[in-house]
Amino acid sequence: MHRLFTSALTRTALKAALMALTVAAAQPALAAEDKGMAAVYCASDELPFIGELLPSMRWVTEDPKAKAELALTPLQQTKLRESEENFDAGLKSWLNNQPPSPGKATMAEIKGVGKMVEEARKRTGDVLKPHQLSRLRELMLQRVGLLSIPKKDLQQVLRLERSQERSIDEIRSSVFAGMDKKAKVVATDGRCKLVRAPATPEMSRLLAESEKSVYRLLSKEQKEMVEKLKGKR
């Protein structure tokens, strides 16, 4: 497994996962009204909810540790906040224009939401310099944990067994279920939602408990891989 970790293929997979990583956690240091994290998810036939966690750009631009380590310029801070606002507005408009469809989200709808999430991640990468983006990925992983890595990339990085994948999917869906009850809905068509969760201890516990559940599923070698990805503390 260690040799696998250092192989070119695995390094490529790690790079892909880290490039897609754009998730930030709740920060007690921020003002109470700040939104610590977000999620985009759809009601699905496969799971109760399927989707991805997303970053709070206010976390990136206002958290003291993140600001100090990333050394963001004023222009970068402005662009990151604008990117988040544009994503919220764009997804809301897209959802408002979806044709009525009772019950669960269609696969086309889920893929459409997923495409918008990927574009939002890319915009974050376009704003930051390579060394800033690399450190931001590490900080995000330290704060949020493994669910900050998109599903497809997590499988590549850790070479998960199918049973592990299924269990992690269920844990991810349970996080969305918790946010569905507590987070503020920014945009929805009744089947897919964008929510932004307050930076509260309750949301922090939700993430912490999910991270413990995921870790229990991993082998020793997989856990060692995760620690390498987290970088310096």
Side-chain angles (χ1 to χ4, degrees), residues 100-147:
S101 176
K104 305 295 185 180
T106 64
M107 185 53 65
E109 193 172 10
I110 292 173
K111 288 183 178 179
V113 169
K115 181 179 179 181
M116 297 193 74
V117 170
E118 290 178 4
E119 290 172 351
R121 289 189 172 119
K122 183 179 184 302
R123 286 195 297 271
T124 299
D126 291 340
V127 172
L128 300 178
K129 295 179 179 180
H131 73 277
Q132 291 174 313
L133 185 59
S134 178
R135 183 56 182 156
L136 177 58
R137 297 168 195 140
E138 294 174 347
L139 293 175
M140 289 175 175
L141 186 55
Q142 290 173 22
R143 292 298 175 89
V144 181
L146 289 168
L147 295 187

Side-chain angles (χ1 to χ4, degrees), residues 158-174:
L158 299 183
R159 298 299 177 89
L160 299 170
E161 300 290 339
R162 182 57 190 143
S163 60
Q164 290 177 310
E165 285 190 77
R166 286 195 296 267
S167 296
I168 292 173
D169 283 346
E170 292 171 357
I171 294 168
R172 191 186 299 267
S173 189
S174 71

Side-chain angles (χ1 to χ4, degrees), residues 18 34 40 50 66 72-74 82 108 114 116 133 158 170 175-176 201-202 204 219:
L18 291 175
D34 182 53
V40 178
I50 185 169
L72 297 173
T73 68
E82 287 177 348
M116 297 193 74
L133 185 59
L158 299 183
E170 292 171 357
V175 170
F176 297 143
E202 185 176 5
S204 295
S219 68

